[in-house]
Amino acid sequence: MLKNYLKIALRYLLKNKLYSLINIFGLAVGIASFVLIMLYVNYEKGFDTFEGSENVYRTYMDYLEGDTFVPGDAMTYNASGPALKELFPEVVDYVRLYYFENLAFQVGEKTLEQPLGSLADPSYFDIFKYPLLKGDPKTVLAEPNAIVLSRSFAQKLFGNENPLQKRVSVFEDGTETQLTVTGIMEDVPKTVHFRNSFLISYETEKTLTDFGPQAHELNWNMNNYYTYLKLAPNTNIDVLRQKIMDSDIEKNDTERHNIEPIEAIHLYSNKPYEVTANGSILRIKFLTAIAFIIIVLSWLNYVNLSTTKSMERAKEAGIRKVAGAKKSQLIFQSLIESILLNVIAMTIGLSMVFAVMPLYNKITGNELYLDWEALINLTPYFIFILGGIVLSGLYPALLLSRFSPAKALKGKVRASTEGIGLRKGLIVTQFFATIVLLTGTFVITKQINFLDNQPIGANVDQIIALHGTVVSDKADSLVVNDFRILQEQLEVFPFVESTAIAQTYPGDSFDNLSSTRGLWLPDGRKDDKNVFYTYHAQPDYFDLMDMEFLAGGTFIPNSNLEGNQIVVNETFLKTMGFSSTDELINKTVTFWGNNDWRVMGVIKDYYHFGLKSPVLPTIIRYDDNISNILIKLDKSDTSVAGVASALNQIENKWREVFPQSTFDYTFLDEKFEAQYEQDKAFGNAFQIFTVLSILIASLGLFGLTAYTVVLRKKEIGIRKVNGATITQVLTLLNKDFVKLLGLAFLIAMPSAWYVMNQWLEGFTYRTNFSWWIFALAGLTALLITFLTVSWQSFKAAVTNPVESLKDE
């Protein structure tokens, strides 16, 4: 019996090729889009999940702003972990990580830089259950000067040799430390917010960092550590969190400790000094909503098109009933056709996923795969799809089974309007989704353009930052002198407009900023509630970056104030309560125990972290320390070949001055734009899936138009016989859909406004929600409706009325 049902279903689909093609294409696109989006959603939600991760929490700092504590810093003190373990029995253990953005490693003649590594307590492998390939997890980080390498980093350093117990030289700010390889760990997965490629035993901090042995002792002075806690199973998190916040272990009434689950960091945390740029739960919610909208739209299309064809199959149903077919058999036959069509569509949809995966990965910036593990993770969604297939096929099946044999065989079913209200409701739903998605696309595009075109208060074009690591046994003073020689020699090149030295630059991360709380002025002003951020630079920095001075000027070299000169920004001025820039010039400021920082100038605010973050109160210090050499290229030759030639000459000069070193560079404009990469990727994905949603919705509109034409075929014929023109017929058929569109537009406007305002709130500086966005979305939807409906309407309008009226 089942074989017979399948034969009939297959014959019907092959006979009605256009109907089958539209349905299969719409469903395939819907399923492919749904799977692609949910692959990305699962990837983002899968961050930091490992054995026991549900009991791992990160502690962070809350800072007092006004009368309220707000999340203020992802880093804590070296005393935080030990104190929390001692005070709270729920804390089983802790691990502290001191993060190195880059270290230089040397083995024999081989020297290379490796990013993303940390000092770590011995408890690391007990808390983070990542595989250790070689070594004892209990002892690999127990002794000073021990290092654990990731598998791929060990391969870079030692090739195929066994690296255990081998020596590695590590250089931090030119200082060499000898380490012994005690273990090899598997490469940390990409779905981890803290991707360490090497781990150095925490005890090595005494010699590897420039903090000095005293800073290694437990203290509440330097919050430079990421601290993770392993909690006892079944801990009441809300109770523990409140106890930690109330504990005041740091003895400071302007800050407190707090905790958050490690599994939530990637999507929910966006604090200063995060290890890496995290994702966004709001983006995930948006994409999930789009995924379900697309798949539901594809099912609505199937319902519309199936009910359209059911009118044509009324006589077939009537004959089957007269021949003795039961209602259940008709329903089952229709469901078999639905399932067969959906299985074909799913097969094509999954093939589409494989085909477009490389392009999709490029858009999202990830490396997603549709392997067995991914398929298993998608099982709940496949169950949802299966349920949708059955439900979407059930209504047309029930409609077909209810036809009266007598009416069906007399051809009177065509005149029935049964179910038209439901189908109109489905079309309103499709219009609603289309308008909301169009509005979202226009808002996202407008915001991205706003970010791209808004002046940032500094010029990052044609500027390169050199930040290689020098491996040398020279004294620090001699290395600094070599950097000055390099800077002078670089300025001789005709393609170099100017150079400067600075610790950081616009677009760089929090890692190269220091911070302070507690700032005093001689007139008695004091601020110990706000966080002030600071970095060092040399006098030419402001001119090279085209920063505007509102008062005063840059640092004065070779003066008796040289080491104590600072430049502050507008926000610093406002935070300290000054109404005029002149009030602050030449005033002294006290912080970091130094009461003689002299304000030389006030610069106009610039967006160090782009327009997603507020401008921070910033202090720029005069310091001779060598960090990034910034090179502004001459604009006379900006071609690819010209820039490549300039980079080659710069590298040659670098290696001439520093034969033993690593060389690296960054284009500041690219680094700054990278802050918006995830938002642009989200915008691109949103636009693509909006277009697909509109395509699917148009197919549904096509289905209802076809059904309407079938219902009103004789009416159109009679009107044409009585002199109706083609334009009048088109107006007749279009006006009902315009009414439905108008209703959907009224419902969609407040929904779209609310949803997109939620997204815009993720940006400190954002574009305004203009009225024309709604108008453009409505007009676009109207144009799509006219194009889709008029195709079918025009065919009906030009049909010979004799053909419409002769069938009785």
Side-chain angles (χ1 to χ4, degrees):
M1 181 64 74
L2 180 60
K3 184 178 179 182
N4 186 51
Y5 283 139
L6 286 171
K7 273 187 178 179
I8 294 171
L10 189 58
R11 285 173 183 170
Y12 177 76
L13 295 178
L14 290 173
K15 180 182 177 182
N16 297 272
K17 292 182 178 62
L18 180 61
Y19 160 79
S20 302
L21 181 64
I22 292 174
N23 256 327
I24 290 172
F25 178 74
L27 288 166
V29 170
I31 291 169
S33 301
F34 185 81
V35 170
L36 284 170
I37 293 174
M38 299 319 296
L39 273 174
Y40 176 72
V41 168
N42 278 358
Y43 174 84
E44 290 287 295
K45 286 185 174 180
F47 265 69
D48 297 302
T49 54
F50 51 86
E51 182 187 347
S53 60
E54 68 278 4
N55 295 319
V56 178
Y57 282 68
R58 181 176 73 177
T59 182
Y60 63 92
M61 303 307 300
D62 285 338
Y63 292 148
L64 188 65
E65 288 189 5
D67 297 325
T68 308
F69 279 99
V70 298
D73 199 331
M75 289 182 173
T76 53
Y77 303 93
N78 69 353
S80 299
L84 291 171
K85 182 182 179 182
E86 182 180 351
L87 285 174
F88 303 105
E90 298 96 329
V91 179
V92 177
D93 208 346
Y94 64 88
V95 60
R96 293 163 295 185
L97 300 175
Y98 176 79
Y99 168 67
F100 297 105
E101 186 173 7
N102 268 304
L103 280 182
F105 293 80
Q106 189 175 64
V107 175
E109 298 299 318
K110 185 184 297 182
T111 302
L112 55 86
E113 272 191 336
Q114 183 69 13
L116 303 178
S118 305
L119 293 169
D121 283 305
S123 55
Y124 179 89
F125 289 102
D126 180 52
I127 294 177
F128 301 113
K129 301 293 186 179
Y130 302 133
L132 187 65
L133 304 178
K134 293 182 180 181
D136 184 346
K138 295 180 180 178
T139 60
V140 288
L141 294 172
E143 299 296 328
N145 298 341
I147 184 170
V148 176
L149 307 175
S150 69
R151 179 176 52 80
S152 59
F153 186 34
Q155 178 74 23
K156 287 181 185 178
L157 282 176
F158 295 98
N160 295 323
E161 295 181 41
N162 182 359
L164 287 185
Q165 301 308 312
K166 294 284 179 65
R167 304 284 283 177
V168 180
S169 293
V170 179
F171 294 86
E172 167 75 349
D173 292 331
T175 302
E176 180 181 4
T177 303
Q178 288 281 326
L179 304 178
T180 301
V181 179
T182 56
I184 304 297
M185 62 182 176
E186 184 57 87
D187 291 343
V188 178
K190 290 190 175 181
T191 51
V192 171
H193 80 281
F194 211 134
R195 293 191 285 274
N196 288 300
S197 57
F198 60 87
L199 297 169
I200 300 173
S201 58
Y202 180 78
E203 289 297 315
T204 315
E205 180 195 40
K206 296 176 184 178
T207 55
L208 184 62
T209 67
D210 59 1
F211 298 158
Q214 285 187 325
H216 179 74
E217 304 301 324
L218 298 182
N219 68 82
W220 300 104
N221 299 322
M222 299 170 62
N223 56 329
N224 296 309
Y225 304 83
Y226 298 96
T227 305
Y228 298 83
L229 310 175
K230 181 181 180 180
L231 305 184
N234 303 316
T235 295
N236 187 321
I237 301 302
D238 291 334
V239 171
L240 177 61
R241 178 182 288 112
Q242 193 60 51
K243 288 196 297 185
I244 289 174
M245 290 191 296
D246 293 341
S247 64
D248 192 28
I249 57 175
E250 64 284 338
K251 306 301 181 192
N252 187 334
D253 57 5
T254 64
E255 63 184 35
R256 69 184 185 189
H257 283 72
N258 204 334
I259 59 172
E260 61 187 339
I262 191 172
E263 294 177 355
I265 289 174
H266 178 67
L267 290 179
Y268 293 90
S269 182
N270 185 27
K271 303 176 181 67
Y273 300 103
E274 291 283 358
V275 188
T276 54
N278 287 327
S280 165
I281 187 60
L282 191 59
R283 282 198 294 265
I284 294 303
K285 288 179 178 179
F286 268 70
L287 289 173
T288 302
I290 293 175
F292 281 92
I293 287 171
I294 288 177
I295 195 70
V296 169
L297 285 178
S298 64
W299 289 332
L300 296 184
N301 287 351
Y302 176 75
V303 171
N304 277 330
L305 290 168
S306 297
T307 51
T308 300
K309 295 301 290 184
S310 67
M311 299 299 101
E312 299 178 11
R313 301 185 69 183
K315 286 185 179 180
E316 176 192 340
I319 292 171
R320 285 177 177 273
K321 281 190 174 182
V322 169
K326 297 179 182 178
K327 185 176 181 180
S328 60
Q329 291 175 313
L330 291 174
I331 293 174
F332 191 68
Q333 174 66 56
S334 183
L335 282 175
I336 289 293
E337 290 173 6
S338 172
I339 291 171
L340 178 62
L341 189 144
N342 276 275
V343 166
I344 296 171
M346 181 172 286
T347 303
I348 295 173
L350 292 177
S351 300
M352 288 180 176
V353 171
F354 282 109
V356 304
M357 188 65 77
L359 177 62
Y360 185 64
N361 282 333
K362 187 176 180 181
I363 292 171
T364 60
N366 292 311
E367 294 181 12
L368 306 177
Y369 304 96
L370 189 60
D371 51 18
W372 282 112
E373 183 180 354
L375 286 171
I376 290 170
N377 291 333
L378 289 172
T379 299
Y381 303 117
F382 284 128
I383 294 173
F384 170 76
I385 291 174
L386 181 61
I389 288 171
V390 174
L391 289 176
S392 64
L394 195 58
Y395 175 72
L398 291 173
L399 181 64
L400 188 64
S401 67
R402 289 206 306 265
F403 290 149
S404 165
K407 288 183 178 180
L409 294 174
K410 289 180 180 180
K412 293 185 177 180
V413 171
R414 291 176 180 270
S416 171
T417 58
E418 183 180 0
I420 191 65
L422 174 62
R423 285 186 286 280
K424 285 184 176 181
L426 299 181
I427 286 296
V428 169
T429 303
Q430 291 179 318
F431 280 146
F432 169 83
T434 299
I435 292 168
V436 169
L437 291 175
L438 282 170
T439 304
T441 297
F442 296 145
V443 170
I444 291 169
T445 303
K446 190 167 185 275
Q447 176 64 17
I448 297 295
N449 289 337
F450 174 79
L451 295 176
D452 279 340
N453 299 323
Q454 186 76 3
I456 66 167
N459 186 1
V460 294
D461 294 335
Q462 294 294 107
I463 298 178
I464 303 170
L466 305 185
H467 41 76
T469 301
V470 176
V471 176
S472 174
D473 56 2
K474 289 183 178 181
D476 288 348
S477 59
L478 295 177
V479 173
V480 169
N481 187 59
D482 285 344
F483 267 102
R484 290 187 179 127
I485 291 171
L486 173 64
Q487 188 179 3
E488 291 172 2
Q489 292 182 357
L490 289 173
E491 289 177 344
V492 174
F493 286 130
F495 53 78
V496 172
E497 183 177 311
S498 58
T499 65
I501 290 174
Q503 181 181 358
T504 186
Y505 44 80
D508 202 9
S509 64
F510 266 100
D511 298 320
N512 291 320
L513 286 176
S514 300
S515 61
T516 181
R517 289 170 64 85
L519 192 146
W520 296 265
L521 294 174
D523 62 5
R525 297 178 200 240
K526 176 182 178 182
D527 189 310
D528 56 6
K529 293 183 178 180
N530 290 292
V531 179
F532 294 84
Y533 293 90
T534 176
Y535 63 92
H536 67 252
Q538 294 184 15
D540 294 336
Y541 170 72
F542 304 99
D543 184 50
L544 180 135
M545 298 301 305
D546 286 341
M547 292 180 176
E548 180 183 344
F549 275 91
L550 301 177
T554 188
F555 310 123
I556 303 173
N558 304 316
S559 74
N560 58 349
L561 296 172
E562 182 168 322
N564 288 324
Q565 299 176 71
I566 61 174
V567 169
V568 300
N569 66 348
E570 277 182 277
T571 299
F572 177 97
L573 193 78
K574 297 169 185 174
T575 304
M576 294 304 297
F578 286 97
S579 57
S580 168
T581 55
D582 294 332
E583 295 180 62
L584 193 55
I585 297 300
N586 287 319
K587 294 289 192 300
T588 56
V589 179
T590 299
F591 65 92
W592 283 358
N594 185 337
N595 58 7
D596 197 27
W597 296 103
R598 189 170 298 276
V599 180
M600 306 303 293
V602 178
I603 58 170
K604 189 174 181 180
D605 280 342
Y606 74 95
Y607 300 105
H608 194 91
F609 300 109
L611 280 77
K612 294 185 69 175
S613 305
V615 176
L616 304 170
T618 303
I619 303 167
I620 305 171
R621 314 181 315 276
Y622 187 7
D623 197 321
D624 270 340
N625 283 342
I626 302 298
S627 297
N628 301 283
I629 296 183
L630 303 178
I631 302 172
K632 190 169 191 176
L633 299 180
D634 188 86
K635 295 183 175 63
S636 59
D637 187 1
T638 59
S639 66
V640 174
V643 172
S645 174
L647 286 172
N648 186 55
Q649 293 180 66
I650 289 170
E651 181 176 0
N652 289 339
K653 183 59 66 176
W654 172 283
R655 297 200 181 280
E656 180 183 317
V657 177
F658 300 115
Q660 284 192 298
S661 67
T662 61
F663 176 78
D664 199 6
Y665 64 89
T666 299
F667 281 96
L668 267 59
D669 56 348
E670 292 179 359
K671 188 75 177 283
F672 195 87
E673 286 298 313
Q675 298 175 107
Y676 306 131
E677 275 182 2
Q678 289 190 349
D679 296 296
K680 290 182 177 179
F682 170 70
N684 292 335
F686 198 99
Q687 290 168 2
I688 290 169
F689 289 118
T690 295
V691 170
L692 292 176
S693 300
I694 292 170
L695 175 62
I696 293 170
S698 298
L699 291 175
L701 190 58
F702 175 87
L704 187 57
T705 306
Y707 173 71
T708 303
V709 168
V710 169
L711 276 182
R712 307 183 72 170
K713 187 176 180 181
K714 287 188 173 62
E715 178 191 348
I716 293 169
I718 293 170
R719 287 180 180 274
K720 289 197 70 179
V721 167
N722 285 294
T725 63
I726 292 176
T727 302
Q728 289 173 324
V729 173
L730 288 174
T731 302
L732 173 71
L733 294 174
N734 275 283
K735 68 179 182 180
D736 290 335
F737 293 102
V738 173
K739 290 177 182 177
L740 296 177
L741 176 63
L743 176 61
F745 181 74
L746 292 175
I747 300 171
M749 276 197 302
S751 302
W753 179 86
Y754 174 78
V755 170
M756 294 318 301
N757 259 325
Q758 292 291 307
W759 181 73
L760 286 172
E761 283 182 4
F763 298 86
T764 303
Y765 305 96
R766 50 186 178 265
T767 185
N768 58 320
F769 209 131
S770 306
W771 65 268
W772 60 261
I773 291 176
F774 288 120
L776 184 59
L779 288 173
T780 304
L782 183 63
L783 179 61
I784 293 168
T785 302
F786 275 137
L787 291 174
T788 306
V789 174
S790 295
W791 180 23
Q792 286 288 321
S793 302
F794 185 76
K795 286 170 63 178
V798 297
T799 300
N800 190 331
V802 174
E803 297 295 326
S804 305
L805 299 173
K806 72 178 182 180
D807 182 22
E808 193 56 59

